[in-house]
Amino acid sequence: MSLRKPYRSVDEQLRILRSRGMAVDAGAGHVFRREGYYPIVNGYKDLFLD
């Protein structure tokens, strides 16, 4: 079993998030390039876990 995921460009990542119903504004690409996907998408998960 491979745990590796394929590389996705920033535009592909944003397209995936939009397809999953997330509201993504025009400046999101810049933020993703600066911060990275996982700190943004997973950075707040601990606040929602019991």
Side-chain angles (χ1 to χ4, degrees):
M1 174 172 61
S2 175
L3 297 177
R4 299 179 75 177
K5 292 190 175 194
Y7 171 80
R8 304 277 188 211
S9 71
V10 170
D11 291 334
E12 289 173 312
Q13 293 172 25
L14 296 175
R15 193 171 21 256
I16 290 168
L17 291 174
R18 285 184 185 110
S19 76
R20 294 177 180 170
M22 181 176 273
V24 180
D25 67 15
H30 172 72
V31 175
F32 268 61
R33 286 178 186 87
R34 186 183 67 220
E35 302 296 330
Y37 178 86
Y38 286 102
I40 294 169
V41 175
N42 293 329
Y44 297 100
K45 71 177 181 181
D46 293 336
L47 299 174
F48 298 101
L49 298 175
D50 289 332

